[in-house]
Amino acid sequence: MDLEDVQQGPVDPEVRAYVSSLVSALGGTGADEEGRYVLGDDALACLKDLKKWLKLHDDKANRLDVARCLAEANIVSGDLLEILAIWPEEATEDRIKSKIALACLELLVPLTWPIEKNDLQMTVNHHRHVPYLQLAQLSYKSAILEHGSQNILRTAVRIGLPSMALQMGERVTRDEGIIKLLLYFFRNVAMISPPPNLPVEGNGDKVSRSATIEAFHRQDVLALLLTISSNMGEDFNTQDTVIMEILFHLLKGVDVEKLFMDKAQLDATNTDELQSLLATEAGMHRNYAKNAPTRHNRFGTMIWVKRDDARVSTVSGQDVLSSAQRTLSKMDESKKWNRPKHRSKDTEPGYDRFDLPVFLDESASRHLRFFVEEFLDSSFNPLFTHIRKAIERESDRVLEIHAQQFFYLISWFLEAERVRRKKKSNADKRKKSLDTFEVDSFALIASVLNQETFVTLNRFMQDRLDMKSWREVNAGTRCFTQILLIVQEMAESPLEEDQEIAENIQNRVFYEETTHDRIIALVRGYKDQGFAYLDSCTELSHVFLRMLERYSKENVDLQVRSRRRARAKRKAADKNSGNSNNTDDEASEMEDVVDAERVSKERKFDFSRFSSKFMTQACIDTFVSFTKYYNDLNTEQLKRAHRFFYRVAFKQELSVMLFRLDIIALFNRMIKGPEGLDPAGKMYREWDELVRQLIRKMLKKLQQRPELAVEMLFSKINSSVFFLEYGYEKQTTSSRPRPPAVLEVRGAMTKDEQIGVAVAVLFDEKIDAVDWVAKMLSSAASERQSWEAETAARQLQIDPDQEGSDEPQSSLKAPSIIVKPDNEERRMAMFKDNKLRLLMSLVGFERLGIDDEPDSTWLIPSALSARELSESQDMIEKHRRDPIMTYGDEDPKTAEEMLRRAPTAKKRAEYDDDSGDEGIFSNDEEDFLYRAGGPTETNKKSAALAELKKKRRNRRGVASGDEDRGISDDEARRKARLKARLKADQEKKRKMKSKLLVRDSDEESDEDLDRDFFAREDAIRMAQAERVREALQAGRVTAVVGTQKRKGNAREGGDGKRARLDLTASDTEDSAVVDKQSSSALRGRSASVSSDDDGPPSTPLTSPRISSSQEKMPADVVMDDARIDSSQERIRTKASAMTLTDQGSDTGSEAGDEDEDDALVAPAGRRRAKGTALLLDDSDED
């Protein structure tokens, strides 16, 4: 600052001269007018010139010189207010005086406008004038409220009434400006308050909140506010935010509980507070009297205290002789800690603080209570609905501070509604008029209980929490808490409509898991935001936990919507195919745009899981910080802290989290002192019981876990808590990372082309991976070539004759070469990057181990020669120099579009035993005749049947030849093969156990029992086979009835078509396929049978063992009893006379006297058995 500026003063003398001359020309008082104020001749012009000076000089130049000159000239108290006071109410039609009054109002608004500038906006001019102007504004407010005429505010209302009387559609811009100017004047008057860092001269009660409310009530300003608010949206539109500001500055910091108390209750409350203060003072005197100086201890005292480290400390004062605890306390008090002072950068203006309590006198409380009740009844819903819509639209008139004021006022009015309803209910109970009392609905505040308000509130809280704007977060937290309390009262309301609305609101609030996470973040995020934030966040968590616990118990199947982060890849939408030469454009075409999106899913809500999220050290530290103010907390706040610590220690059984020295010392000081809780307080006994139980658990835990003595010095982490609680470390299993999808190249391409595609995909962003693969190939080729040369040299020394031979020189295999990554990033890419893995697979690299192991080894196999490795390297180098990015002419595709996921081979089930053969008999010796389900579970039935018919036809043709010619060589070979096959089948079926028939007893093994069992089975099988051969030779089995429907064979005695029947009596029985001849076989024709005593019969038939009892025959086979009897009779009488009709000669067969149960005789007719499961049909149904 120059010396010249100091001599000139804070304001330029030229500016001061102009402004002073204009103020003098406005008018003044004179002796000839008996002290009345007289306007000057050009008063209106002077007022307009002063307005221009304020606008052009101060606003445009960002200075405060004119305002300082006007404050020094005392223009507000000496001129403007006097001009407004002399405007009589009956002179409404006087246009000149109306214009002068309006000009005074236009000048009063900028002079009373609060100065809101932070440190970054302040200049030297501002630092020079702001303190003076802030004190001047206090004098302005005092003069406005305490003017002798008591009519200034009412006169201002008269200025705006003509414009307000017009319909909203009829108002012009000037009318809207006048209304807004009037409301801003009221806002400024309500907003002006004593600055915290400046001394206030005189009595501060003249500018207090009580004086403001009294003046607003006396001069009808409150009535005007109610009128505008109730008609918001109908007659008024853009005035909502200004009305909200006025309400905010009138209501902030006012205690709602005291506001709605009558005189008797207020007196009783004040008396209780006074008694509490007196009791606190008496306690302080008692503590002081214990160690107070007397006439006998006027002399100084100093003692030495030996410490553990063999050092000595000196403590002075006779009070240290009383006890060891007092000595240690005196030592602690003498310690000094130079705590670093961090200067808080509070850029938020002090006018918007709502956490400072405000005292109201009785008259102001009564007037404000009437105003609040009227506002709730008529104006709450219209005003706050209109403001919410303006905030959602982000209207130009909505400022950043308005959202904070909006949510704070909602919380304040909701609390006022709760207190009012509670007061009314208590009054009715005292009057015993419950029979005539009608419960009021919550419709008066319904505008803030809809979904739109919840959405706006959640967005506001999350945004401000992310920006760490703690004062605005505090406002949102208060609003959310009061909404939950209102919903809780609605749930307890006797009206069903209110209960349904409360149920719906709770369902919407508790459904979103983001709301749960936000509550936890609020509690965990406390650091040094102040007691107001600490109080609001702990109250919200307490109310939310209690309501959610109750609601989850009532709704067991509560679902919540949880949201998780998912990484979604999508291709670039636009392709610049024309700029093929531009490398950057091609890179952008192949680049994946990775977006973070929110994927939502529903899951069942678990309250214990949610409440455990509060059991962290950060949340506990927040409540510990809150409890440190125990001497200043009321009963509800002490109860809130007590319930949280009780939940931690006993409900969640995590008392270890509270075993910390500072927490235990705090609890002990609260109960034992010094400066502890009042033993006569309501919460003392509960806290005393909690502390005693907690210390008891701590001592017991110290005996179980001596390690706790060390852990008490530190905060607990999850692993420490688990170990201290259970005595062992918590076992955790880490999940394996999943391997990427296996890729392959589309279409039929050569190895060179496939490597070109893989190199093109990796060319832009991962070219270093291509170079690394080429380097590994080069190194491996050199190593493999050296090994091959060494092997050839050794072989030449052993056998010199092989020199120059092209045959392999040695049967030794080359050692595999391990592929080693060059860095950690490459090692992870070898597991996660499927494009790199594709290139490695194409050049011949192989991976050891399963794909789920990231640390598996890649190697170059022995089968790859040095020449093959060099060729692969040359292919990579070729495509590295000249990559091919697009493929195809008609429909060009990028290299990445040429890749696709490789199809995964579907694993066959263990019971799948399908072979490639379509016939009944398989060439594979390991194949079974039937599947595990038996002969009814056939596979490829039609093909098997056709093959069987062909084989039978061939066999029948051989059998029908001339017997004298003998059996040809082909027939002999066929019989030998058939005999060997049947023998192998018998051996396999002896060892086979069907899975369908395995029981627990099969697991018991006894060699002797097994040997006897198989011997008996072999004997039964051989006897049964002998009986079957005899029956066939005797002609007792002539045909087997099938139920397969055939065309042209519906009547008996068909055209020789054959059917097949598969019969199974047990898991060890053989299979039988019987040729069905014409039904005339029983009238003189018999089947040609050639038997062999040493082996199976030479028929195209392998018969299963037929059960010796009727009951063991399958239930699905339907037999014709009449035909069985007639066939048996004919067999007994004509057995010796039966001939082989196909050869034209008679052959006798004898049959012994056998029991009927020893042989299975099938009817010769074509009787159909419906529903049988043993048929071979073309369909797949069994």
Side-chain angles (χ1 to χ4, degrees):
M1 185 182 297
D2 298 337
L3 181 61
E4 183 178 358
D5 295 337
V6 175
Q7 294 177 354
Q8 291 179 355
V11 181
D12 187 5
E14 187 176 357
V15 175
R16 184 188 299 275
Y18 277 109
V19 173
S20 300
S21 62
L22 291 175
V23 173
S24 301
L26 278 177
T29 59
D32 53 348
E33 298 294 337
E34 297 179 355
R36 290 184 296 105
Y37 189 87
V38 179
L39 288 173
D41 296 337
D42 296 329
L44 182 59
C46 293
L47 291 172
K48 292 182 179 181
D49 290 343
L50 289 174
K51 179 184 174 183
K52 292 179 181 179
W53 270 98
L54 283 173
K55 183 177 180 179
L56 297 177
H57 189 274
D58 284 5
D59 295 344
K60 292 291 183 66
N62 193 21
R63 298 176 66 87
L64 299 175
D65 295 337
V66 178
R68 175 69 177 268
C69 294
L70 294 177
E72 293 176 352
N74 195 21
I75 188 175
V76 174
S77 301
D79 296 283
L80 300 181
L81 298 184
E82 296 297 334
I83 295 174
L84 292 176
I86 63 174
W87 184 32
E89 296 184 3
E90 61 275 5
T92 307
E93 301 299 331
D94 192 345
R95 296 179 59 86
I96 300 299
K97 291 186 178 181
S98 299
K99 289 183 178 181
I100 293 176
L102 180 60
C104 292
L105 187 62
E106 291 177 347
L107 203 56
L108 279 173
V109 170
L111 290 177
T112 56
W113 198 279
I115 303 174
E116 301 174 352
K117 294 185 182 296
N118 53 34
D119 295 339
L120 299 178
Q121 297 173 342
M122 295 285 285
T123 63
V124 175
N125 184 270
H126 295 155
H127 283 289
R128 184 184 301 162
H129 299 309
V130 165
Y132 185 87
L133 292 179
Q134 287 179 344
L135 295 176
Q137 286 181 347
L138 288 178
S139 63
Y140 297 162
K141 181 176 181 178
S142 177
I144 293 171
L145 299 179
E146 301 294 334
H147 193 268
S149 64
Q150 300 289 323
N151 209 20
I152 300 299
L153 298 176
R154 184 178 288 110
T155 303
V157 173
R158 287 167 51 200
I159 296 174
L161 282 179
S163 299
M164 296 180 189
L166 298 175
Q167 295 292 333
M168 187 170 59
E170 298 177 357
R171 295 179 194 146
V172 296
T173 307
R174 182 177 181 274
D175 296 326
E176 295 290 345
I178 291 174
I179 298 174
K180 187 176 292 186
L181 192 69
L182 173 65
L183 294 178
Y184 275 124
F185 174 64
F186 294 150
R187 190 280 308 265
N188 295 343
V189 174
M191 193 173 179
I192 294 174
S193 60
N197 53 352
L198 293 177
V200 180
E201 297 181 0
N203 190 1
D205 294 339
K206 294 183 180 180
V207 293
S208 63
R209 187 77 58 83
S210 298
T212 304
I213 294 174
E214 285 286 346
F216 276 24
H217 171 74
R218 186 173 57 252
Q219 302 185 38
D220 300 331
V221 177
L222 297 180
L224 177 66
L225 297 178
L226 286 174
T227 302
I228 297 177
S229 300
S230 60
N231 292 278
M232 191 62 62
E234 298 178 0
D235 295 333
F236 302 94
N237 187 19
T238 60
Q239 294 80 17
D240 49 359
T241 56
V242 187
I243 293 292
M244 181 180 65
E245 291 187 44
I246 298 174
L247 295 177
F248 175 78
H249 292 292
L250 286 177
L251 300 176
K252 64 178 181 180
V254 176
D255 190 352
V256 180
E257 293 283 349
K258 292 183 178 180
L259 182 65
F260 280 87
M261 292 180 181
D262 53 17
K263 189 176 185 304
Q265 293 175 344
L266 188 61
D267 292 341
T269 302
N270 292 335
T271 303
D272 293 340
E273 291 180 356
L274 179 60
Q275 291 178 353
S276 177
L277 292 175
L278 292 176
T280 303
E281 184 181 6
M284 295 173 61
H285 283 300
R286 285 194 300 269
N287 292 333
Y288 178 74
K290 293 178 181 179
N291 304 306
T294 62
R295 63 177 181 173
H296 299 291
N297 58 5
R298 290 176 294 177
F299 304 99
T301 301
M302 179 177 293
I303 63 174
W304 287 353
V305 179
K306 289 185 177 181
R307 298 188 297 184
D308 296 337
D309 53 358
R311 295 184 179 181
V312 178
S313 299
T314 58
V315 182
S316 62
Q318 286 193 353
D319 53 344
V320 300
L321 300 176
S322 59
S323 62
Q325 181 180 3
R326 180 59 187 169
T327 304
L328 296 177
S329 299
K330 192 68 176 290
M331 289 180 61
D332 292 338
E333 292 175 359
S334 62
K335 296 177 182 178
K336 292 184 179 181
W337 177 39
N338 297 326
R339 184 174 182 176
K341 297 181 180 180
H342 300 284
R343 184 178 181 182
S344 60
K345 297 180 180 180
D346 189 6
T347 59
E348 299 176 351
Y351 295 106
D352 298 321
R353 293 193 61 179
F354 50 81
D355 53 350
L356 299 178
V358 176
F359 173 77
L360 297 180
D361 56 21
E362 181 183 354
S363 178
S365 298
R366 184 175 65 255
H367 297 323
L368 186 59
R369 181 171 65 250
F370 292 155
F371 168 76
V372 170
E373 292 178 349
E374 291 293 332
F375 184 86
L376 286 171
D377 294 338
S378 61
S379 305
F380 182 84
N381 285 339
L383 177 63
F384 285 96
T385 301
H386 204 267
I387 296 175
R388 177 183 56 78
K389 293 179 179 179
I391 293 176
E392 292 176 351
R393 293 194 307 266
E394 297 182 356
S395 180
D396 295 338
R397 67 178 183 275
V398 177
L399 304 178
E400 185 178 359
I401 197 60
H402 288 157
Q404 170 189 325
Q405 297 176 355
F406 172 73
F407 291 112
Y408 174 78
L409 287 177
I410 289 178
S411 66
W412 198 96
F413 279 110
L414 290 181
E415 184 180 3
E417 177 65 16
R418 288 195 308 107
V419 174
R420 184 175 69 156
R421 295 175 69 89
K422 181 179 179 181
K423 176 185 175 184
K424 186 176 182 180
S425 176
N426 294 335
D428 292 333
K429 289 180 181 180
R430 286 196 300 268
K431 294 179 182 179
K432 298 181 181 181
S433 59
L434 291 176
D435 296 336
T436 60
F437 173 65
E438 295 183 359
V439 181
D440 294 334
S441 175
F442 289 85
L444 298 177
I445 54 175
S447 62
V448 297
L449 300 178
N450 50 22
Q451 184 65 20
E452 291 80 3
T453 304
F454 292 141
V455 172
T456 305
L457 176 59
N458 289 330
R459 185 188 302 117
F460 170 79
M461 291 182 64
Q462 189 62 48
D463 293 344
R464 299 308 185 269
L465 186 61
D466 296 339
M467 294 187 299
K468 297 184 179 181
S469 181
W470 302 117
R471 187 179 297 177
E472 294 177 317
V473 172
N474 188 7
T477 303
R478 288 171 177 262
C479 179
F480 195 26
T481 303
Q482 294 303 323
I483 288 178
L484 291 178
L485 293 175
I486 285 289
V487 172
Q488 182 179 357
E489 292 190 2
M490 291 177 67
E492 299 172 356
S493 174
L495 298 179
E496 294 183 0
E497 182 181 0
D498 291 340
Q499 295 178 6
E500 293 177 359
I501 295 175
E503 178 72 18
N504 189 16
I505 293 175
Q506 290 183 85
N507 190 17
R508 292 200 306 265
V509 170
F510 298 143
Y511 177 68
E512 295 291 343
E513 194 179 30
T514 54
T515 304
H516 304 180
D517 298 338
R518 189 179 303 114
I519 303 300
I520 298 172
L522 289 173
V523 181
R524 291 179 179 177
Y526 173 76
K527 188 177 180 182
D528 53 358
Q529 290 89 339
F531 179 76
Y533 176 85
L534 187 61
D535 183 28
S536 62
C537 71
T538 52
E539 183 182 11
L540 176 59
S541 62
H542 173 71
V543 173
F544 191 85
L545 266 175
R546 186 179 59 183
M547 290 185 61
L548 183 56
E549 182 178 13
R550 181 185 305 173
Y551 187 77
S552 61
K553 290 180 180 179
E554 296 175 355
N555 300 269
V556 182
D557 298 329
L558 176 63
Q559 299 288 324
V560 295
R561 180 170 63 181
S562 60
R563 295 184 177 182
R564 58 182 176 84
R565 286 279 184 186
R567 305 296 295 177
K569 292 186 177 181
R570 59 180 177 86
K571 298 298 178 77
D574 300 330
K575 296 181 179 180
N576 301 324
S577 57
N579 300 330
S580 58
N581 296 328
N582 193 342
T583 306
D584 295 337
D585 293 342
E586 291 176 358
S588 64
E589 289 176 7
M590 299 193 319
E591 182 182 8
D592 285 345
V593 180
V594 181
D595 295 329
E597 61 180 5
R598 305 294 292 186
V599 178
S600 302
K601 63 177 181 178
E602 288 189 355
R603 64 172 179 83
K604 194 176 186 308
F605 176 74
D606 185 6
F607 178 77
S608 60
R609 176 185 175 186
F610 169 71
S611 59
S612 63
K613 295 181 180 180
F614 285 89
M615 306 302 119
T616 60
Q617 201 65 55
C619 294
I620 293 176
D621 291 342
T622 299
F623 275 88
V624 168
S625 301
F626 179 70
T627 311
K628 289 180 179 179
Y629 298 93
Y630 61 89
N631 282 325
D632 300 326
L633 301 181
N634 54 29
T635 303
E636 291 297 328
Q637 292 170 333
L638 286 173
K639 183 178 180 180
R640 184 193 313 163
H642 175 274
R643 295 298 184 268
F644 176 80
F645 292 124
Y646 178 81
R647 181 183 298 274
V648 174
F650 299 100
K651 282 190 175 183
Q652 297 291 332
E653 296 182 352
L654 291 175
S655 56
V656 179
M657 300 290 292
L658 301 179
F659 295 162
R660 205 174 65 192
L661 284 181
D662 59 333
I663 299 178
I664 298 299
L666 173 63
F667 290 166
N668 183 71
R669 186 169 65 252
M670 291 175 64
I671 303 302
K672 301 298 182 180
E675 300 179 357
L677 289 174
D678 185 9
K682 297 180 180 180
M683 291 298 299
Y684 179 81
R685 298 185 64 180
E686 296 185 16
W687 272 100
D688 184 29
E689 182 68 20
L690 174 65
V691 173
R692 285 195 299 106
Q693 295 294 336
L694 192 62
I695 294 179
R696 182 181 302 174
K697 292 188 69 173
M698 183 188 67
L699 296 177
K700 184 178 180 181
K701 186 66 68 175
L702 278 171
Q703 295 177 356
Q704 297 176 355
R705 311 277 186 268
E707 302 88 353
L708 182 60
V710 179
E711 291 293 336
M712 289 183 65
L713 299 173
F714 311 100
S715 298
K716 310 298 186 298
I717 59 178
N718 293 334
S719 58
S720 300
V721 172
F722 189 89
F723 176 78
L724 294 174
E725 193 68 31
Y726 301 103
Y728 59 90
E729 295 290 343
K730 187 176 181 180
Q731 302 297 327
T732 58
T733 57
S734 59
S735 59
R736 289 182 176 180
R738 297 179 59 184
V742 180
L743 300 180
E744 67 178 7
V745 182
R746 298 176 184 269
M749 290 188 174
T750 63
K751 178 181 178 181
D752 185 19
E753 293 174 340
Q754 291 181 358
I755 292 177
V757 173
V759 171
V761 171
L762 297 170
F763 186 79
D764 292 321
E765 296 182 354
K766 303 173 183 177
I767 192 62
D768 57 333
V770 178
D771 297 337
W772 172 75
V773 174
K775 180 180 178 181
M776 292 301 301
L777 287 173
S778 176
S779 176
S782 301
E783 184 177 348
R784 187 62 52 85
Q785 187 176 5
S786 300
W787 183 87
E788 292 175 355
E790 181 182 358
T791 305
R794 289 181 178 179
Q795 188 67 23
L796 186 60
Q797 292 177 0
I798 296 174
D799 190 2
D801 297 336
Q802 293 185 0
E803 183 178 2
S805 177
D806 295 335
E807 299 296 328
Q809 300 299 320
S810 177
S811 61
L812 297 177
K813 290 185 178 180
S816 300
I817 301 174
I818 298 177
V819 179
K820 297 181 180 180
D822 52 354
N823 50 41
E824 181 66 20
E825 182 180 358
R826 188 84 62 221
R827 186 186 69 84
M828 294 304 299
M830 291 171 63
F831 174 73
K832 293 184 177 181
D833 192 350
N834 51 4
K835 299 181 179 63
L836 176 59
R837 289 160 62 115
L838 173 63
L839 178 60
M840 295 170 65
S841 301
L842 290 176
V843 298
F845 293 1
E846 293 182 358
R847 179 183 175 90
L848 294 180
I850 59 177
D851 286 341
D852 291 340
E853 296 180 357
D855 295 330
S856 296
T857 304
W858 284 81
L859 53 82
I860 299 175
S862 304
L864 294 179
S865 63
R867 181 178 56 82
E868 294 174 340
L869 294 175
S870 299
E871 290 177 355
S872 299
Q873 180 190 359
D874 295 339
M875 294 177 187
I876 292 178
E877 294 294 342
K878 180 183 68 174
H879 294 289
R880 170 74 168 80
R881 293 188 299 268
D882 187 15
I884 302 175
M885 295 299 181
T886 57
Y887 293 84
D889 298 332
E890 297 180 358
D891 186 13
K893 294 183 179 180
T894 62
E896 190 159 355
E897 291 176 348
M898 293 298 296
L899 300 181
R900 68 179 179 186
R901 286 194 175 190
T904 57
K906 182 179 179 181
K907 294 184 178 180
R908 297 169 61 93
E910 294 181 358
Y911 52 80
D912 287 346
D913 195 23
D914 300 336
S915 61
D917 298 332
E918 296 182 357
I920 295 297
F921 302 103
S922 174
N923 295 328
D924 191 356
E925 295 182 357
E926 297 298 325
D927 291 341
F928 288 85
L929 180 62
Y930 297 116
R931 298 173 53 159
T936 59
E937 294 185 353
T938 57
N939 188 24
K940 303 180 180 179
K941 300 182 180 63
S942 59
L945 184 60
E947 182 67 19
L948 185 60
K949 288 180 180 180
K950 181 178 179 182
K951 292 181 179 180
R952 289 174 180 171
R953 192 177 301 114
N954 295 334
R955 294 167 187 167
R956 187 171 59 252
V958 174
S960 62
D962 190 9
E963 187 178 9
D964 297 337
R965 290 178 299 176
I967 301 174
S968 63
D969 295 338
D970 295 336
E971 180 66 12
R973 287 193 297 270
R974 188 187 63 79
K975 289 175 60 179
R977 289 196 302 269
L978 178 61
K979 183 177 180 180
R981 186 182 302 114
L982 290 176
K983 185 176 181 180
D985 291 342
Q986 293 288 344
E987 293 295 328
K988 284 185 287 185
K989 283 180 285 188
R990 290 191 189 101
K991 302 177 182 178
M992 181 183 70
K993 286 186 177 182
S994 175
K995 291 184 180 180
L996 300 178
L997 300 177
V998 172
R999 299 184 299 275
D1000 295 338
S1001 61
D1002 293 334
E1003 297 178 0
E1004 302 175 359
S1005 61
D1006 190 337
E1007 296 181 358
D1008 296 335
L1009 294 178
D1010 292 343
R1011 189 182 307 108
D1012 296 340
F1013 171 79
F1014 287 119
R1016 289 194 303 269
E1017 291 293 321
D1018 290 339
I1020 294 172
R1021 187 181 300 107
M1022 293 176 63
Q1024 183 65 20
E1026 183 66 24
R1027 286 193 293 270
V1028 170
R1029 284 195 296 271
E1030 293 176 359
L1032 291 174
Q1033 293 173 1
R1036 295 192 333 228
V1037 178
T1038 58
V1040 180
V1041 176
T1043 60
Q1044 186 172 359
K1045 186 175 182 181
R1046 303 182 184 275
K1047 296 181 180 180
N1049 196 21
R1051 66 182 182 275
E1052 187 176 316
D1055 56 354
K1057 300 285 185 178
R1058 290 184 294 278
R1060 188 184 71 185
L1061 178 65
D1062 293 340
L1063 300 177
T1064 302
S1066 66
D1067 58 353
T1068 60
E1069 293 175 356
D1070 299 329
S1071 302
V1073 180
V1074 183
D1075 295 338
K1076 179 182 178 184
Q1077 299 293 342
S1078 174
S1079 61
S1080 62
L1082 293 177
R1083 294 190 296 271
R1085 303 178 63 187
S1086 61
S1088 175
V1089 179
S1090 62
S1091 61
D1092 191 352
D1093 296 339
D1094 297 333
S1098 59
T1099 60
L1101 174 66
T1102 56
S1103 301
R1105 180 177 65 85
I1106 309 300
S1107 175
S1108 61
S1109 62
Q1110 188 80 13
E1111 291 77 15
K1112 291 184 179 181
M1113 187 169 60
D1116 294 336
V1117 180
V1118 181
M1119 307 298 295
D1120 192 338
D1121 296 337
R1123 287 196 171 274
I1124 290 175
D1125 296 337
S1126 60
S1127 300
Q1128 291 175 349
E1129 184 66 23
R1130 286 195 297 271
I1131 291 172
R1132 292 190 184 98
T1133 57
K1134 299 181 181 181
S1136 59
M1138 295 185 67
T1139 59
L1140 298 174
T1141 58
D1142 293 339
Q1143 298 178 357
S1145 61
D1146 297 338
T1147 302
S1149 297
E1150 295 182 358
D1153 295 337
E1154 301 284 350
D1155 295 337
E1156 292 180 1
D1157 296 338
D1158 293 338
L1160 174 63
V1161 182
R1166 299 185 63 82
R1167 176 183 177 92
R1168 301 181 185 275
K1170 297 181 180 180
T1172 179
L1174 301 178
L1175 303 180
L1176 292 179
D1177 199 359
D1178 293 337
S1179 64
D1180 293 333
E1181 297 179 358
D1182 294 338

